[in-house]
Amino acid sequence: MPSFDVVIIGAGPGGYVCAIRCAQLGLKVACIERSPTLGGTCLNVGCIPSKALLESSELYHRAGGEFAKHGIVVKPTLDLPTLLARKDKIVHTLTRGVDGLFKKNGVERFEGRGHFKNSREIEVLDSNGRVSHVLEASSVVVATGSSVATLRNLPMDGKHIFGSTEALSLAEPPNHLIIIGAGIIGLEMGSVWSRLGSKVTVLEFMDSVLPGADLDIRKQAQRSFRKQGLRFKLGVKVQSATVSEAGTVAVSYHDKKGEQSIEGDAVLVAVGRRPNTAGLGVENAGITLDGRGRIEVDDEFATSAPNIYAIGDVVRGPMLAHKAEDEGVAMAEKLAGLPGHVNYSVIPSVVYTNPEIAWVGQTEDQLKEQGVKYTRGWFPFAANGRAKALENTDGFVKLLADARTDRILGVHIIGPVAGELIGEMALAMEFGASSEDIARTCHAHPTLSEVVREAALDAGGRVLHI
Ligand code: FAD
Ligand code: NAD
């Protein structure tokens, strides 16, 4: 029986990064992945293909309207097959890249479904459910990720009612796309198909888009997306959907006024993701799940079973690729006897819409709830020269700092390249920086990063350009 120091189940950003880092640290490591391609949700049907589509659709949209403001008059036509093929090529290149990294680092790959025979032996099952290998491991890391969550009474057929995976490859823009859920996927995929020509209506259970974000960000985001033509029905409870013979879909929902119905050509269900534990044989290994079906782990990623650990989307915490990756690195370092560590209070979130949205640390509401006294710095992109040159002035930076120590507690950005700007703020928070540290750091002119600096200046009561 092949024997390893570490067997990792799942080759998403959590599992494949953990495998590479284990190998770098001299551990003998195997990775079991059920999909023929490596990279998990993120590379195959998540972060990467969605960002490729967001970029292409944004260019198409800008060419159709905003270019004229620059004095460039063009009439773009959409070649959707080429647009989708570009996305597929990026996915192919990156997933093959992980294959290359496995080979380079000496990670042994097993294709098939990992299944606990007991707490030390893992079976690899082929597509017919037959055992192709049994691996023995001193330690096992479960990194099986998550899948699209479904709704009762909305059976997905993959054609009229579907999840994010199908929404990445629609053969044509639906005339009317109904999206259930105004979270990150709803807004990103809604932006893509709206820019490519669909009428998009988003039905959301809560009373605003992006329920986890800071209130000012939510308000501004809603205004910006409405201006772009996205329609929102907030505070609604979706009941069911039926597909007609003609292929249209009627979604019935409940709002303040009572029972309602809306008809569209396709429905994207984007109401979250559920952890992948089915078929893993957790019961054979003595692994306990929490109330939400996630594998229960302690601060060291240890499950209830000895020498079995879990990381990424399958455990508590935000379902984000960089969180999974950081846990993968920390996990490997712990297994090699080093002090692996993840700082959960400094994990940035980014929504890749236009305007882009990014935040790190605490929201204003969270600080109020905790009774923390804070100062607030604010600066709009509309007062920044580079944003004007880019013709992209929607949004602002909001910085929250401790009123007593000036230490930065949270930063919330909506505006151009917010996802890049938030990196400086995450670093600042890791270093325990104050708003004055940012305000006194020279930022190049003219750059969007000056908006961050001006927000820091504003927190100290000495903003310069408004
Ligand atoms: P996954 O990436 O889900 O990988 C788990 C792997 O385990 C899969 O390859 C699966 O096939 C395999 N597996 C499962 N069970 C078994 C088994 N029994 N045996 C063998 N293999 C198994 N996050 C971001 O940070 N930024 C983004 O921009 C972003 N965009 C997204 C867009 C979309 C449309 C979606 C759906 C998600 C997006 N995410 C994004 C979330 C991100 O993809 C996940 O947080 C991340 O992939 C989680 O990594 P993971 O390694 O825990 O799990
Ligand atoms: P989400 O949790 O971000 O949003 C789901 C939304 O659906 C919420 O606003 C929720 O209130 C709403 N909802 C739930 N049930 C509903 C119902 N019955 N009717 C109407 N609305 C309902 O989930 P998601 O958008 O599906 O994304 C899944 C995960 O993938 C997220 O955890 C996210 O972190 C990750 N993701 C990240 C990125 C990124 O980092 N850019 C992009 C895509 C996905």
Side-chain angles (χ1 to χ4, degrees):
M1 188 188 307
S3 179
F4 296 88
D5 294 322
V6 187
V7 167
I8 296 165
I9 309 177
Y16 87 73
V17 166
C18 185
I20 291 171
R21 188 74 188 117
C22 281
Q24 284 176 346
L25 292 167
L27 298 169
K28 188 180 177 207
V29 55
C31 185
I32 307 171
E33 170 56 57
R34 64 183 177 188
S35 161
T37 54
L38 302 175
T41 304
C42 174
L43 266 57
N44 290 280
V45 291
C47 324
I48 299 302
S50 59
K51 265 78 261 178
L53 293 185
L54 279 156
E55 189 61 30
S56 301
S57 60
E58 175 63 9
L59 288 177
Y60 175 68
H61 175 72
R62 291 178 64 193
E66 193 192 303
F67 275 22
K69 291 188 192 160
H70 292 264
I72 305 164
V73 183
V74 288
K75 198 168 181 302
T77 49
L78 179 63
D79 174 0
L80 189 56
T82 301
L83 189 153
L84 295 177
R86 189 191 82 98
K87 175 235 353 163
D88 292 339
K89 192 169 164 213
I90 295 167
V91 168
H92 179 73
T93 309
L94 291 179
T95 55
R96 293 287 304 153
V98 180
D99 268 306
L101 291 172
F102 271 15
K103 287 195 187 93
K104 179 182 155 206
N105 287 282
V107 176
E108 202 164 329
R109 178 192 174 179
F110 290 86
E111 188 175 329
R113 179 159 62 84
H115 177 259
F116 284 100
K117 190 174 173 195
N118 53 54
S119 62
R120 284 181 65 88
E121 293 175 326
I122 304 108
E123 297 170 330
V124 182
L125 308 176
D126 66 18
S127 50
N128 298 314
R130 280 192 293 261
V131 178
S132 61
H133 299 87
V134 181
L135 314 181
E136 192 189 38
S138 307
S139 302
V140 183
V141 179
V142 181
T144 48
S146 63
S147 304
V148 173
T150 52
L151 285 176
R152 239 170 358 120
N153 302 328
L154 268 93
M156 293 200 204
D157 59 8
K159 196 169 162 220
H160 304 97
I161 306 175
F162 45 73
S164 56
T165 300
E166 291 82 2
L168 294 166
S169 298
L170 302 181
E172 55 185 308
N175 285 330
H176 183 195
L177 174 63
I178 297 172
I179 299 181
I180 305 177
I184 308 191
I185 292 181
L187 295 177
E188 289 188 350
M189 296 316 298
S191 296
V192 166
W193 292 107
S194 163
R195 293 167 188 166
L196 297 180
S198 297
K199 171 181 162 186
V200 172
T201 307
V202 188
L203 308 180
E204 166 60 48
F205 184 68
M206 305 297 278
D207 60 7
S208 81
V209 305
L210 287 177
D214 187 272
L215 181 61
D216 289 320
I217 295 280
R218 282 187 270 147
K219 284 186 189 159
Q220 172 78 33
Q222 224 156 278
R223 269 198 301 274
S224 300
F225 295 135
R226 281 206 159 116
K227 218 161 63 185
Q228 288 166 27
L230 266 71
R231 292 146 202 252
F232 294 98
K233 292 189 185 294
L234 303 171
V236 307
K237 193 164 187 297
V238 173
Q239 320 272 33
S240 62
T242 45
V243 182
S244 74
E245 270 182 27
T248 57
V249 196
V251 177
S252 49
Y253 62 92
H254 191 93
D255 67 10
K256 276 187 279 191
K257 293 185 198 137
E259 298 303 313
Q260 312 284 346
S261 176
I262 183 169
E263 194 169 280
D265 302 284
V267 175
L268 163 59
V269 179
V271 295
R273 296 179 60 81
R274 59 176 168 75
N276 288 333
T277 54
L280 194 57
V282 285
E283 56 293 345
N284 301 340
I287 298 171
T288 315
L289 306 184
D290 68 17
R292 292 167 62 182
R294 303 172 297 195
I295 293 180
E296 206 158 39
V297 287
D298 65 13
D299 291 346
E300 309 287 303
F301 311 118
T303 69
S304 50
N307 304 317
I308 302 180
Y309 305 86
I311 57 170
D313 277 11
V314 79
V315 303
R316 83 283 176 270
M319 287 182 162
L320 294 172
H322 40 286
K323 177 261 194 185
E325 283 190 44
D326 280 17
E327 288 185 340
V329 170
M331 179 78 256
E333 293 179 348
K334 281 178 194 294
L335 291 171
L338 300 169
H341 171 71
V342 177
N343 181 358
Y344 290 98
S345 55
V346 185
I347 294 182
S349 291
V350 183
V351 188
Y352 296 83
T353 46
N354 188 0
E356 201 159 282
I357 299 167
W359 67 88
V360 62
Q362 317 242 45
T363 65
E364 221 171 321
D365 281 343
Q366 284 169 336
L367 294 178
K368 281 180 191 153
E369 271 162 35
Q370 294 160 25
V372 177
K373 296 235 176 323
Y374 60 91
T375 51
R376 199 177 103 124
W378 176 288
F379 198 81
F381 282 95
N384 174 267
R386 187 71 192 278
K388 283 210 180 300
L390 291 169
E391 196 62 42
N392 203 342
T393 53
D394 235 11
F396 57 83
V397 174
K398 177 164 106 175
L399 184 147
L400 305 168
D402 189 292
R404 195 174 54 85
T405 64
D406 193 33
R407 194 178 174 132
I408 300 169
L409 301 175
V411 182
H412 305 272
I413 307 179
I414 177 163
V417 300
E420 303 297 329
L421 296 177
I422 207 70
E424 179 188 354
M425 293 297 94
L427 186 67
M429 288 180 71
E430 278 289 355
F431 278 54
S434 62
S435 79
E436 185 172 356
D437 289 327
I438 303 303
R440 290 197 183 276
T441 301
C442 185
H443 287 67
H445 175 74
T447 62
L448 297 168
S449 71
E450 290 172 291
V451 180
V452 173
R453 187 199 200 177
E454 289 276 5
L457 281 164
D458 189 43
R462 52 203 179 96
V463 68
L464 289 170
H465 287 94
I466 44 169

